[in-house]
Amino acid sequence: MNKIIAGATLAFGLALAGVSHATTLVQVDFSGTLTSGSSAVRAPFSGGDIIQGMSVSGSFVYDKDLVTGGLILVPFATLAVDPDSAFTFDIGSLGFDLGDAVTGSMGITPAIQFNNGVFNGFNYVSDFQYTNGSTYRLRFNSKNFQIKQVDPQTGFNIGSTVYVQGNLSATLANERAYVAPGGGDPGVPEPGTWALMLLGFGTAGAMLRRRRAVAA
């Protein structure tokens, strides 16, 4: 019986070890500026709190262990609590988050770009309706971003006018471990962690069944 308990304890310990080695999520802040010049911000966005040369900012959450050499795309973290906070971006009164991303045939899968370990912008598309009733699209192309008017039915641009444009800095700031709001679970365990936990519990169950068979 002692061997069974020891085996079960070992299996459970391995499962817990897998949990303790789960991904550590990192949250960082990024910033940038709107392009200077009279054409950087056009009506209907001009004349309000969005002005040429102004600062923009946001934050995102990711697994730092996924950042390797070369030009790569890293997914935003999968957060169990407040998933949209994995990406936030503000341009004046305009606010965007991960839940606003357009995917599929009219968008792209949102991701973070790194080039040899240095932040290189995003893959991200978001459509929104502005106060004038028209639909516009924010699109990131690496560190550069633009807002253009689009047809909400087809997703195609209406004309070639760029209404807002800017670029991001390659420098990330305020790096810290991600803490879920309210102290909840910060993320979903990795598949390897789940597999290790199942293996541990399965081993314990098999040892108990073998003990019963021997006793019979």
PDB file of all heavy atoms in Angstrom, residues 94-107:
ATOM      1  N   LEU A  94     -10.299  57.082 -29.677  1.00  0.00           N
ATOM      2  CA  LEU A  94     -10.499  55.779 -30.302  1.00  0.00           C
ATOM      3  C   LEU A  94      -9.763  54.713 -29.505  1.00  0.00           C
ATOM      4  O   LEU A  94      -8.566  54.840 -29.242  1.00  0.00           O
ATOM      5  CB  LEU A  94      -9.982  55.783 -31.745  1.00  0.00           C
ATOM      6  CG  LEU A  94     -10.670  56.718 -32.740  1.00  0.00           C
ATOM      7  CD1 LEU A  94      -9.970  56.619 -34.095  1.00  0.00           C
ATOM      8  CD2 LEU A  94     -12.145  56.375 -32.862  1.00  0.00           C
ATOM      9  N   GLY A  95     -10.474  53.663 -29.126  1.00  0.00           N
ATOM     10  CA  GLY A  95      -9.856  52.574 -28.373  1.00  0.00           C
ATOM     11  C   GLY A  95     -10.108  51.242 -29.050  1.00  0.00           C
ATOM     12  O   GLY A  95     -11.213  50.972 -29.537  1.00  0.00           O
ATOM     13  N   PHE A  96      -9.080  50.414 -29.102  1.00  0.00           N
ATOM     14  CA  PHE A  96      -9.177  49.106 -29.755  1.00  0.00           C
ATOM     15  C   PHE A  96      -8.653  48.039 -28.806  1.00  0.00           C
ATOM     16  O   PHE A  96      -7.774  48.297 -27.978  1.00  0.00           O
ATOM     17  CB  PHE A  96      -8.360  49.089 -31.057  1.00  0.00           C
ATOM     18  CG  PHE A  96      -8.744  50.165 -32.035  1.00  0.00           C
ATOM     19  CD1 PHE A  96      -8.129  51.417 -31.969  1.00  0.00           C
ATOM     20  CD2 PHE A  96      -9.715  49.945 -32.987  1.00  0.00           C
ATOM     21  CE1 PHE A  96      -8.476  52.424 -32.859  1.00  0.00           C
ATOM     22  CE2 PHE A  96     -10.076  50.955 -33.878  1.00  0.00           C
ATOM     23  CZ  PHE A  96      -9.455  52.196 -33.819  1.00  0.00           C
ATOM     24  N   ASP A  97      -9.188  46.827 -28.927  1.00  0.00           N
ATOM     25  CA  ASP A  97      -8.670  45.713 -28.143  1.00  0.00           C
ATOM     26  C   ASP A  97      -8.685  44.444 -28.993  1.00  0.00           C
ATOM     27  O   ASP A  97      -9.075  44.478 -30.173  1.00  0.00           O
ATOM     28  CB  ASP A  97      -9.441  45.527 -26.828  1.00  0.00           C
ATOM     29  CG  ASP A  97     -10.935  45.299 -27.044  1.00  0.00           C
ATOM     30  OD1 ASP A  97     -11.307  44.566 -27.987  1.00  0.00           O
ATOM     31  OD2 ASP A  97     -11.739  45.847 -26.271  1.00  0.00           O
ATOM     32  N   LEU A  98      -8.296  43.327 -28.399  1.00  0.00           N
ATOM     33  CA  LEU A  98      -8.168  42.093 -29.173  1.00  0.00           C
ATOM     34  C   LEU A  98      -9.515  41.625 -29.707  1.00  0.00           C
ATOM     35  O   LEU A  98      -9.604  41.055 -30.794  1.00  0.00           O
ATOM     36  CB  LEU A  98      -7.533  41.004 -28.302  1.00  0.00           C
ATOM     37  CG  LEU A  98      -7.057  39.748 -29.039  1.00  0.00           C
ATOM     38  CD1 LEU A  98      -6.032  40.102 -30.110  1.00  0.00           C
ATOM     39  CD2 LEU A  98      -6.471  38.743 -28.061  1.00  0.00           C
ATOM     40  N   GLY A  99     -10.586  41.885 -28.951  1.00  0.00           N
ATOM     41  CA  GLY A  99     -11.908  41.478 -29.399  1.00  0.00           C
ATOM     42  C   GLY A  99     -12.405  42.238 -30.605  1.00  0.00           C
ATOM     43  O   GLY A  99     -13.346  41.809 -31.278  1.00  0.00           O
ATOM     44  N   ASP A 100     -11.794  43.383 -30.915  1.00  0.00           N
ATOM     45  CA  ASP A 100     -12.194  44.181 -32.075  1.00  0.00           C
ATOM     46  C   ASP A 100     -11.547  43.710 -33.371  1.00  0.00           C
ATOM     47  O   ASP A 100     -11.860  44.236 -34.445  1.00  0.00           O
ATOM     48  CB  ASP A 100     -11.820  45.654 -31.856  1.00  0.00           C
ATOM     49  CG  ASP A 100     -12.574  46.276 -30.691  1.00  0.00           C
ATOM     50  OD1 ASP A 100     -13.741  45.913 -30.473  1.00  0.00           O
ATOM     51  OD2 ASP A 100     -11.978  47.117 -29.986  1.00  0.00           O
ATOM     52  N   ALA A 101     -10.635  42.768 -33.280  1.00  0.00           N
ATOM     53  CA  ALA A 101      -9.890  42.333 -34.464  1.00  0.00           C
ATOM     54  C   ALA A 101     -10.817  41.683 -35.491  1.00  0.00           C
ATOM     55  O   ALA A 101     -11.736  40.936 -35.140  1.00  0.00           O
ATOM     56  CB  ALA A 101      -8.790  41.359 -34.066  1.00  0.00           C
ATOM     57  N   VAL A 102     -10.574  41.978 -36.766  1.00  0.00           N
ATOM     58  CA  VAL A 102     -11.291  41.357 -37.873  1.00  0.00           C
ATOM     59  C   VAL A 102     -10.411  40.233 -38.422  1.00  0.00           C
ATOM     60  O   VAL A 102      -9.250  40.458 -38.761  1.00  0.00           O
ATOM     61  CB  VAL A 102     -11.591  42.378 -38.984  1.00  0.00           C
ATOM     62  CG1 VAL A 102     -12.264  41.692 -40.171  1.00  0.00           C
ATOM     63  CG2 VAL A 102     -12.480  43.484 -38.452  1.00  0.00           C
ATOM     64  N   THR A 103     -10.950  39.043 -38.482  1.00  0.00           N
ATOM     65  CA  THR A 103     -10.204  37.892 -38.995  1.00  0.00           C
ATOM     66  C   THR A 103     -10.938  37.307 -40.200  1.00  0.00           C
ATOM     67  O   THR A 103     -11.899  37.885 -40.699  1.00  0.00           O
ATOM     68  CB  THR A 103     -10.045  36.828 -37.898  1.00  0.00           C
ATOM     69  OG1 THR A 103     -11.345  36.396 -37.459  1.00  0.00           O
ATOM     70  CG2 THR A 103      -9.290  37.391 -36.695  1.00  0.00           C
ATOM     71  N   GLY A 104     -10.491  36.165 -40.660  1.00  0.00           N
ATOM     72  CA  GLY A 104     -11.159  35.508 -41.777  1.00  0.00           C
ATOM     73  C   GLY A 104     -10.850  36.168 -43.106  1.00  0.00           C
ATOM     74  O   GLY A 104      -9.803  36.790 -43.289  1.00  0.00           O
ATOM     75  N   SER A 105     -11.815  36.074 -44.027  1.00  0.00           N
ATOM     76  CA  SER A 105     -11.577  36.543 -45.392  1.00  0.00           C
ATOM     77  C   SER A 105     -11.406  38.059 -45.473  1.00  0.00           C
ATOM     78  O   SER A 105     -10.774  38.565 -46.396  1.00  0.00           O
ATOM     79  CB  SER A 105     -12.747  36.123 -46.294  1.00  0.00           C
ATOM     80  OG  SER A 105     -13.969  36.669 -45.823  1.00  0.00           O
ATOM     81  N   MET A 106     -11.963  38.820 -44.511  1.00  0.00           N
ATOM     82  CA  MET A 106     -11.861  40.277 -44.559  1.00  0.00           C
ATOM     83  C   MET A 106     -10.789  40.822 -43.620  1.00  0.00           C
ATOM     84  O   MET A 106     -10.593  42.038 -43.533  1.00  0.00           O
ATOM     85  CB  MET A 106     -13.208  40.918 -44.226  1.00  0.00           C
ATOM     86  CG  MET A 106     -14.262  40.697 -45.291  1.00  0.00           C
ATOM     87  SD  MET A 106     -15.642  41.867 -45.195  1.00  0.00           S
ATOM     88  CE  MET A 106     -16.267  41.548 -43.559  1.00  0.00           C
ATOM     89  N   GLY A 107     -10.093  39.957 -42.890  1.00  0.00           N
ATOM     90  CA  GLY A 107      -9.073  40.424 -41.955  1.00  0.00           C
ATOM     91  C   GLY A 107      -7.880  39.488 -41.923  1.00  0.00           C
ATOM     92  O   GLY A 107      -7.625  38.761 -42.889  1.00  0.00           O
TER      93      GLY A 107
END
